[in-house]
Amino acid sequence: MTDCVFCKIIAGEIPSDKVYEDDFAVAFMDIAPANPGHTLIVPREHSDDFSVMPDGQSMERLFSATRRVALAALKATGAGGFNTIINTGKDANQIVMHTHVHVIPRFPEDGLKPWTKKDIPKEEIARIAAEMKKHLG
Ligand SMILES: [Zn+2]
């Protein structure tokens, strides 16, 4: 019915290293980890990406599960911190089009850099902020 890899993992049709599941979400190890303990938290209900995921209790449950999994990853790996990343859209490097949160444990000098600082003029930042406020009003 679906060609979605994550829906198939959730259904058990594709094997994975699952670490957590409840009636809302499933968490399993990323097969292309950026660091030891790199885990994905995936809502059971399919949505293509975070921008169209249903609002409300879904958000609360996604982030609650994410924090639980992240704390377990810290204990399992001895990491001192973690990044939570939601890639949304192909331009943001989303590869599987099913909403998911990455938990990436972090270690001193692990070489990962989530982003580099860009030199954007203050006026451009202010212009974008004003435009965003129009869409958030
Ligand atoms: Zn799916």
Side-chain angles (χ1 to χ4, degrees):
M1 188 176 124
T2 176
D3 285 335
C4 176
V5 170
F6 286 176
C7 283
K8 288 180 177 173
I9 288 173
I10 291 164
E13 295 167 15
I14 294 176
S16 68
D17 290 310
K18 285 183 186 160
V19 295
Y20 175 80
E21 54 186 315
D22 60 26
D23 62 334
F24 174 77
V26 174
F28 49 87
M29 308 310 286
D30 195 312
I31 60 166
N35 253 350
H38 185 164
T39 312
L40 305 177
I41 297 84
V42 184
R44 286 181 182 279
E45 185 179 333
H46 181 95
S47 55
D48 285 349
D49 66 48
F50 184 64
S51 72
V52 294
M53 185 181 148
D55 236 330
Q57 195 186 19
S58 296
M59 293 290 177
E60 182 183 333
R61 296 201 65 188
L62 179 63
F63 285 104
S64 177
T66 296
R67 185 171 61 185
R68 285 188 67 183
V69 169
L71 293 174
L74 290 188
K75 288 178 182 157
T77 62
F82 59 90
N83 291 114
T84 53
I85 300 171
I86 303 175
N87 299 332
T88 303
K90 291 191 188 317
D91 286 353
N93 204 32
Q94 183 179 2
I95 296 166
V96 176
M97 299 309 287
H98 180 133
T99 303
H100 58 284
V101 182
H102 293 260
V103 165
I104 303 173
R106 299 301 306 271
F107 305 89
E109 311 298 327
D110 66 11
L112 296 183
K113 291 186 185 289
W115 54 75
T116 54
K117 178 183 174 297
K118 285 218 166 96
D119 192 17
I120 300 172
K122 283 174 66 173
E123 300 76 22
E124 177 65 0
I125 292 170
R127 186 196 65 73
I128 293 168
E131 187 66 23
M132 286 175 66
K133 285 180 188 173
K134 285 188 214 167
H135 298 284
L136 290 166

